[in-house]
Amino acid sequence: MTQTLRALLPLTLAGLLASCGGVAPAPQPTGLHALNEDICPSCGRPSVTVRPGWVWQAPPAGLLASSGEGSSPEAAPEWAASRAVAAEARSSGRTLWEVDLQQATLAEELPVLCFDDTRKDRPTLVPPLTLSLNPFSPGTARNVWTGGRLAFSKPVSAQAVQTEAQGQEQCAAEFGPGWRMLRSDHAADALPLGTQALTLWALQTQP
């Protein structure tokens, strides 16, 4: 009886496949999946573009005077110092950049993040604005909409952006009038006085 069932099993399986109009899939080599990953690593998954660049860190409005008028710049809190900082721009599509002002990989040279204020309304793809208030330090904001678009200059050293005016000249020279260095307080959103932006959003469109 057992031998009869063993003999009929292949015939039964073949009959089921034939009745369904299907063909048994051929086994794939174990290394084929890895090969496909090498050929197209982003197939089926959204790709993320990451680009670091210089952004001008501006003190939160309304807090500079209260931080110690007349004191030396060296004694001022870190958030009260105006300077170029390395930021990280990230994008998972072709329309928007998210600029993280607290994360970037330092390098000898970075492009200047140049900004053009086009007065665009906040896109639906931008996450909601989130605020965090602190009575002892500047409040913070994430997902701040800038209302403009970004472009990346050619890489320059930190010495080339010691002042905001140097960054402005770099952007205007490469992209034309109206383009300037992105500032941490470029915001189309209404923020409470003294709020420090941690992440900014802008259009990805290049000039």
Side-chain angles (χ1 to χ4, degrees):
M1 182 66 179
T2 304
Q3 293 179 349
T4 303
L5 290 176
R6 289 178 178 175
L8 290 176
L9 185 58
L11 297 177
T12 305
L13 182 59
L16 288 174
L17 290 174
S19 64
C20 295
V23 178
Q28 295 187 5
T30 56
L32 184 59
H33 180 73
L35 179 62
N36 289 336
E37 289 282 335
D38 292 337
I39 295 174
C40 184
S42 63
C43 289
R45 300 189 301 274
S47 59
V48 177
T49 302
V50 179
R51 297 190 64 181
W54 298 115
V55 174
W56 191 256
Q57 180 72 59
L63 292 180
L64 185 60
S66 62
S67 65
E69 188 173 355
S71 61
S72 64
E74 293 78 9
E78 183 179 353
W79 50 260
S82 298
R83 67 193 190 283
V85 297
E88 181 179 274
R90 299 175 61 88
S91 177
S92 58
R94 298 183 178 181
T95 58
L96 295 168
W97 286 109
E98 179 187 13
V99 181
D100 190 337
L101 299 173
Q102 293 189 315
Q103 180 176 349
T105 301
L106 290 175
E108 292 184 3
E109 293 186 340
L110 294 174
V112 179
L113 269 63
C114 299
F115 177 72
D116 178 30
D117 188 0
T118 55
R119 310 279 180 176
K120 294 290 185 181
D121 293 334
R122 186 186 188 91
T124 56
L125 293 177
V126 176
L129 174 69
T130 59
L131 298 173
S132 177
L133 303 180
N134 189 328
F136 304 106
S137 63
T140 59
R142 292 185 177 274
N143 303 323
V144 177
W145 172 240
T146 61
R149 56 180 180 164
L150 286 185
F152 295 78
S153 77
K154 64 182 181 182
V156 298
S157 66
Q159 298 300 319
V161 284
Q162 289 294 299
T163 66
E164 185 181 5
Q166 289 177 308
Q168 312 286 40
E169 293 174 2
Q170 187 75 32
C171 294
E174 293 196 38
F175 304 118
W179 284 90
R180 54 185 187 253
M181 188 176 187
L182 179 67
R183 288 172 54 104
S184 60
D185 58 357
H186 276 149
D189 293 327
L191 301 177
L193 191 65
T195 301
Q196 182 182 31
L198 300 182
T199 59
L200 304 172
W201 285 79
L203 294 172
Q204 191 174 347
T205 308
Q206 295 286 341

